[in-house]
Amino acid sequence: MPLTLAVARERSDGESRTALVPETAKKFAALGARLRMEQSAGVQSHFLDPDYIGVDFMPSLEGSYAGADLILRVTPPSLAEIAAMPEGAVLIGLLKPYEAKERLAALNARKITAFSLELLPRISRAQSMDALSSQGACAGYQCGLIAAARCTKFFPMLTTAAGTIRPARVLVIGAGVAGLQAIATCKRLGAMVEAYDVRAAAKEQIESLGAKFVDTGVSADGAGGYARELTAEEKAAQAEKLAKAVAAADVVITTAAIPGKKAPVIVTRDMVGRMKYGAIIVDMAAESGGNCELTQPGEHVIANDVNIHGPLNLPSRMPTHASELYAKNIYNFLSPWIKDGALNIDWSDEVVAGTVLCRDGATVHATVKQILGDA
């Protein structure tokens, strides 16, 4: 029997993406996989059922998952969705591995082999599979658009019959993939952009996009391309110099996040108090607590006459391209192990070993075990 690959409609609130798009469906079919999908699973991403060639459509999630060998998802499954998965199936998605121990226990009880793309090793060979980067690019782009739409000033300089309008000043904090995309978007819209990142290597990347680097004298390069957590002394030095840049900005976009940990607070209550009347903060890290001390996840609040936005699930605001990128990430991860309609995973492979969350009824990822314990 050929490998049966299944995709159900995402049921998380506000989720518009899908893990399988027509392009990757064709590619999986060419590898010999049988494809099964819940009806209308791609509709919110603007992919209609007839767009999927050679896919069998089922009226329910349970029908989609029945007998499936491989299940593709965007968001973590609920306990009810896990109960509908065949015992011993392989699951891949953005599974939020550091949260919800009960979800991990349910996966292990069903002996689900789960790959969590947040755990993907940060190595060159895995770049085409890096869902955090692809979805981060979508989020950073959206942050730039939100900032421009909410700002009370023009982003670009304008010369009019009434006189010259100076461009808005934007400060982007965090220059990972999301931050760099926010910088590029704001620059394209004509704003004066400054940016800051604790990683020294980010300076060149920031300047290559035409933005000015804010140098606080603090460097925090960490493992895997992420920033390490700062010491109390480093945070104090960073805050003192960064506060001046925050106070001068019309818009502050924050994008700093550390996987598996609460987002670091970078913009303090005191910094907000020193910002311009009517200034804007767009906090991309709101889902993990926020980089601004006053951020309320999912809310728009006004504090000290500053508008603070805490948007959630930004990639879902542009689900067509976000889904296309994400689906390609999944295909690039899985395709080396599918041949003649069979899934044969090399468990010694560095990318596979680093991404697997649980297998054979046990949690196998060392960092997740350290944080959550055995589930």
Side-chain angles (χ1 to χ4, degrees):
M1 289 290 290
L3 170 74
T4 299
L5 183 154
V7 177
R9 178 175 57 83
E10 298 289 332
R11 286 163 166 77
S12 300
D13 290 341
E15 185 54 69
S16 302
R17 292 169 291 175
T18 182
L20 186 70
V21 300
E23 180 185 350
T24 56
K26 289 180 183 178
K27 291 182 176 180
F28 277 119
L31 294 175
R34 177 189 176 193
L35 306 179
R36 188 186 294 155
M37 201 168 186
E38 184 180 3
Q39 290 174 353
S40 301
V43 166
Q44 291 193 77
S45 301
H46 307 287
F47 301 112
L48 302 179
D49 290 356
D51 296 335
Y52 291 89
I53 307 301
V55 175
D56 297 325
F57 283 92
M58 301 293 165
S60 66
L61 176 143
E62 290 78 11
S64 303
Y65 283 176
D69 303 300
L70 176 60
I71 295 171
L72 315 185
R73 292 190 59 89
V74 178
T75 60
S78 67
L79 297 182
E81 289 169 328
I82 293 171
M85 295 178 182
E87 187 168 318
V90 175
L91 167 69
I92 184 169
L94 291 167
L95 303 182
K96 298 184 178 180
Y98 303 107
E99 302 176 14
K101 188 174 181 178
E102 63 274 15
R103 179 168 61 233
L104 197 53
L107 290 170
N108 285 330
R110 300 288 296 168
K111 291 184 169 55
I112 303 295
T113 296
F115 292 98
S116 183
L117 290 171
E118 295 96 329
L119 304 175
L120 189 81
R122 308 285 285 191
I123 58 176
S124 297
R125 185 164 63 87
Q127 287 180 353
S128 67
M129 315 167 195
D130 191 349
L132 288 183
S133 290
S134 72
Q135 302 308 290
C138 298
Y141 174 74
Q142 284 293 316
C143 281
L145 298 184
I146 292 170
R150 297 278 188 172
C151 186
T152 59
K153 297 182 177 182
F154 283 113
F155 264 33
M157 182 175 73
L158 295 180
T159 301
T160 73
T164 299
I165 300 292
R166 292 187 59 78
R169 297 188 62 168
V170 175
L171 172 65
V172 178
I173 298 176
V177 172
L180 292 173
Q181 187 59 248
I183 292 167
T185 301
C186 293
K187 283 294 293 183
R188 291 188 190 107
L189 292 172
M192 293 176 58
V193 183
E194 294 184 315
Y196 169 71
D197 195 288
V198 291
R199 296 171 298 121
K203 181 177 186 292
E204 183 178 344
Q205 294 173 311
I206 288 168
E207 292 176 343
S208 73
L209 293 172
K212 179 182 176 183
F213 180 69
V214 177
D215 190 357
T216 64
V218 175
S219 177
D221 291 289
Y226 293 106
R228 63 173 172 80
E229 196 164 358
L230 299 177
T231 65
E233 293 78 10
E234 287 173 329
K235 287 179 181 178
Q238 174 199 56
E240 182 181 351
K241 294 185 178 179
L242 194 57
K244 295 179 181 179
V246 170
D250 300 303
V251 172
V252 175
I253 298 173
T254 64
T255 70
I258 302 172
K261 296 184 179 181
K262 185 180 183 300
V265 174
I266 298 173
V267 180
T268 63
R269 183 186 300 268
D270 179 63
M271 288 184 188
V272 173
R274 295 164 61 183
M275 292 181 72
K276 296 177 182 178
Y277 182 88
I280 293 173
I281 296 172
V282 182
D283 193 341
M284 199 197 82
E287 289 191 45
S288 55
N291 295 141
C292 175
E293 186 177 353
L294 302 178
T295 295
Q296 295 295 322
E299 303 292 335
H300 167 211
V301 298
I302 300 175
N304 298 322
D305 301 315
V306 174
N307 292 275
I308 304 171
H309 303 276
L312 304 177
N313 197 3
L314 286 163
S316 264
R317 297 187 179 210
M318 48 183 303
T320 303
H321 277 168
S323 295
E324 287 180 350
L325 290 168
Y326 180 71
K328 288 176 183 177
N329 294 143
I330 287 183
Y331 176 80
N332 291 335
F333 182 91
L334 291 171
S335 58
W337 317 119
I338 302 175
K339 187 175 182 181
D340 298 328
L343 181 65
N344 294 298
I345 298 172
D346 179 2
W347 296 103
S348 66
D349 181 82
E350 181 180 5
V351 173
V352 170
T355 311
V356 65
L357 173 62
C358 52
R359 182 186 178 199
D360 296 331
T363 304
V364 295
H365 194 276
T367 304
V368 174
K369 288 178 67 175
Q370 184 179 5
I371 293 174
L372 296 183
D374 292 318

